[in-house]
């Protein structure tokens, strides 16, 4: 008897992944978001991988593949979504302010290093491109080229032709314009407009990310995200 496939959603932060998770929960309640909390706990992750219909998490493709291969023989259906790179960095930067604005209960769920970054960002002059750039540079792993790193995997060796081969591991990967198609394919339900989840207002003037200084910085330092976004947008 063939094993039922497991859906795995590589949830890149601030790419409408929470919206995807909410629709998965609504159509397939037997699943788990934010599986990064258990992915390195062998027994708990093995139970989830062998009994649930879907998993979603802020983990790289390579970590997901390696950990799933270690705990289950089920076929895996991989999915992910990317977002226009400047807007993704801007939204993720804003999120580090938003987690504090949501109150102490929500804020204290986050690890100490994230709270330290949040505190530094909240002390900064976020009307200044230079101040924001300084924070982005200090936390490059959190903000820059994150979409490429998560969606391709941290073991990926960069070569443009191989990006297509790596994305062939996904059943589907789309940008924000293909979100309805992505969710429909994952759930097997007809296309319908998606209600957005986990949206937040901005705590600074986001047009600072459209400034010449910021655009020049991102062009030099967020290049890999731009490459993969343009590739996925062509699918």
């Amino acid at each position: 008897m063939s094993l039922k496939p497991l859906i795995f959603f590589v949830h890149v932060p601030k790419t409408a992944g929470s919206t995807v998770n909410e629709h998965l929960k609504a159509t397939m309640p037997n699943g788990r978001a934010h599986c990064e909390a258990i992915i390195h706990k062998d027994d708990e992750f093995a139970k989830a991988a062998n009994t649930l219909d879907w998993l979603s998490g802020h983990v790289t493709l390579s970590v997901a593949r390696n950990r799933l291969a270690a705990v289950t023989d089920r076929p895996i259906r991989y999915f992910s979504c990317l977002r226009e790179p400047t807007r993704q960095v801007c939204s993720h930067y804003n999120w580090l302010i938003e987690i504090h604005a949501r109150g102490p209960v929500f804020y204290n769920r986050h690890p100490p290093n994230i709270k330290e970054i949040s505190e530094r960002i909240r002390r900064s002059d976020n009307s200044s491109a230079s101040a924001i750039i300084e924070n982005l540079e200090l936390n490059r792993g959190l903000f820059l080229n994150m979409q490429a790193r998560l969606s391709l995997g941290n073991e990926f060796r960069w070569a443009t032709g191989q990006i297509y081969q790596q994305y062939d591991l996904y059943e589907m990967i789309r940008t924000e314009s293909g979100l309805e198609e992505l969710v429909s394919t994952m759930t097997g339900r007809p296309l319908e407009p998606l209600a957005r989840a986990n949206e937040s207002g901005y705590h600074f003037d986001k047009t600072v990310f459209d400034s010449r200084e910021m655009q020049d910085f991102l062009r030099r330092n967020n290049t890999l995200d731009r490459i993969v976004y343009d590739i996925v947008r062509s699918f």
Side-chain angles (χ1 to χ4, degrees):
M1 182 176 67
S2 60
L3 296 172
K4 181 180 180 181
L6 171 69
I7 291 171
F8 193 96
F9 180 62
V10 175
H11 181 177
V12 180
K14 311 317 294 179
T15 61
S18 294
T19 298
V20 173
N21 288 341
E22 288 304 309
H23 281 265
L24 288 171
K25 291 174 187 176
T27 56
M28 293 181 286
N30 185 35
R32 173 167 182 153
H34 294 291
C35 71
E36 65 270 16
I38 64 168
I39 200 164
H40 294 295
K41 299 177 181 179
D42 290 347
D43 292 343
E44 193 172 352
F45 187 63
K47 181 179 179 180
N50 284 288
T51 61
L52 300 181
D53 293 327
W54 60 271
L55 291 168
S56 169
H58 296 311
V59 297
T60 69
L61 175 66
S62 51
V63 167
R65 295 184 72 215
N66 290 339
R67 293 298 295 137
L68 287 167
V71 299
T72 186
D73 293 325
R74 294 172 71 181
I76 313 298
R77 303 173 63 204
Y78 289 102
F79 296 87
S80 192
C81 186
L82 305 184
R83 183 179 182 182
E84 193 284 320
T86 298
R87 299 277 68 86
Q88 190 271 337
V89 175
C90 180
S91 181
H92 200 196
Y93 188 88
N94 183 68
W95 179 247
L96 270 290
I97 304 172
E98 173 68 15
I99 61 173
H100 184 266
R102 293 194 177 190
V105 173
F106 185 80
Y107 185 63
N108 288 328
R109 294 176 189 167
H110 293 79
N113 66 313
I114 294 297
K115 290 193 285 187
E116 287 173 11
I117 296 169
S118 174
E119 288 164 13
R120 178 184 175 87
I121 287 174
R122 286 183 282 111
R123 289 196 304 266
S124 299
D125 176 9
N126 292 309
S127 66
S128 163
S130 297
I132 294 176
I133 286 170
E134 182 178 355
N135 287 327
L136 296 177
E137 287 188 312
L138 284 170
N139 302 284
R140 298 180 70 89
L142 183 63
F143 294 117
L144 300 175
N145 296 312
M146 173 179 269
Q147 299 193 86
R149 189 166 58 255
L150 264 70
S151 66
L152 289 169
N154 51 355
E155 295 176 357
F156 180 75
R157 296 296 177 262
W158 274 88
T160 303
Q162 294 177 5
I163 295 174
Y164 289 92
Q165 296 176 16
Q166 197 75 345
Y167 283 153
D168 282 343
L169 297 171
Y170 288 89
E171 181 171 331
M172 181 174 286
I173 181 168
R174 291 290 184 267
T175 66
E176 63 272 58
S177 65
L179 197 62
E180 284 80 6
E181 180 189 11
L182 182 78
V183 172
S184 177
T185 302
M186 295 172 78
T187 63
R189 300 292 181 88
L191 289 173
E192 59 182 34
L194 300 183
R196 294 301 176 97
N198 204 33
E199 288 189 306
S200 60
Y202 275 81
H203 300 277
F204 58 91
D205 183 358
K206 63 183 179 181
T207 62
V208 69
F209 271 77
D210 298 323
S211 68
R212 177 70 177 271
E213 183 180 4
M214 181 64 73
Q215 286 297 303
D216 286 347
F217 172 79
L218 292 175
R219 193 175 298 112
R220 294 191 303 272
N221 293 277
N222 203 42
T223 308
L224 304 183
D225 272 12
R226 175 58 61 185
I227 291 170
V228 298
Y229 179 79
D230 287 343
I231 287 174
V232 172
R233 189 169 56 171
S234 72
F235 290 167

